[in-house]
Amino acid sequence: MICIVRKRLGICDGIKAVLKTWCQEHRIPVSTMNYWMRKLKILDEQSDTAMIFAKMPTEKEISKNETLNIDPSPVRIFITNAIRIEVMPECPPELFHVLIQGLKDHA
């Protein structure tokens, strides 16, 4: 996570002047930014980086559910112990695709 923050800010370790300039431009005290970066580093070190895969229903299972008039279940995605994403069956496929792509790019 801290890598994502650094990429977005365009900073890397050892470039204090860039950090100071960025903080001034965004009216954030450097001490606050340093605090946030320390907190993110701690969270990053504590997070479990193992990938978690979700089982998606096959077309046959979906078809069977529709035939039996069974309401489809939401898709639940758990990331570590802190983040839970639940996607209801009514979610438009385009939005679901954006969600999955965002997770692939940033998780």
Side-chain angles (χ1 to χ4, degrees), residues 15-39:
I15 304 180
K16 301 284 185 186
V18 174
L19 177 63
K20 184 177 180 181
T21 303
W22 188 92
C23 288
Q24 287 172 344
E25 289 172 2
H26 293 85
R27 296 185 178 149
I28 298 172
V30 176
S31 61
T32 301
M33 178 57 80
N34 287 331
Y35 172 77
W36 291 341
M37 297 296 273
R38 282 193 311 275
K39 284 292 198 184

Side-chain angles (χ1 to χ4, degrees), residues 2 38-49:
I2 197 160
R38 282 193 311 275
K39 284 292 198 184
L40 286 173
K41 185 176 180 183
I42 290 168
L43 287 173
D44 195 38
E45 290 168 354
Q46 292 174 348
S47 70
D48 182 12
T49 57

Side-chain angles (χ1 to χ4, degrees), residues 66-80:
E66 289 171 356
T67 305
L68 298 174
N69 290 329
I70 298 173
D71 290 332
S73 301
V75 173
R76 292 182 181 97
I77 302 169
F78 298 92
I79 302 172
T80 67

Side-chain angles (χ1 to χ4, degrees), residues 3-18:
C3 296
I4 294 168
V5 173
R6 286 186 176 141
K7 282 181 188 176
R8 284 202 176 169
L9 297 180
I11 61 172
C12 35
D13 292 329
I15 304 180
K16 301 284 185 186
V18 174

Side-chain angles (χ1 to χ4, degrees), residues 51-95:
M51 287 193 160
I52 301 170
F53 294 92
K55 181 188 179 302
M56 302 296 292
T58 64
E59 288 183 26
K60 186 176 179 181
E61 291 171 332
I62 292 170
S63 175
K64 182 180 174 184
N65 287 349
E66 289 171 356
T67 305
L68 298 174
N69 290 329
I70 298 173
D71 290 332
S73 301
V75 173
R76 292 182 181 97
I77 302 169
F78 298 92
I79 302 172
T80 67
N81 293 330
I83 301 171
R84 174 184 171 184
I85 301 170
E86 187 169 290
V87 182
M88 300 308 289
E90 303 83 33
C91 178
E94 299 81 19
L95 182 58

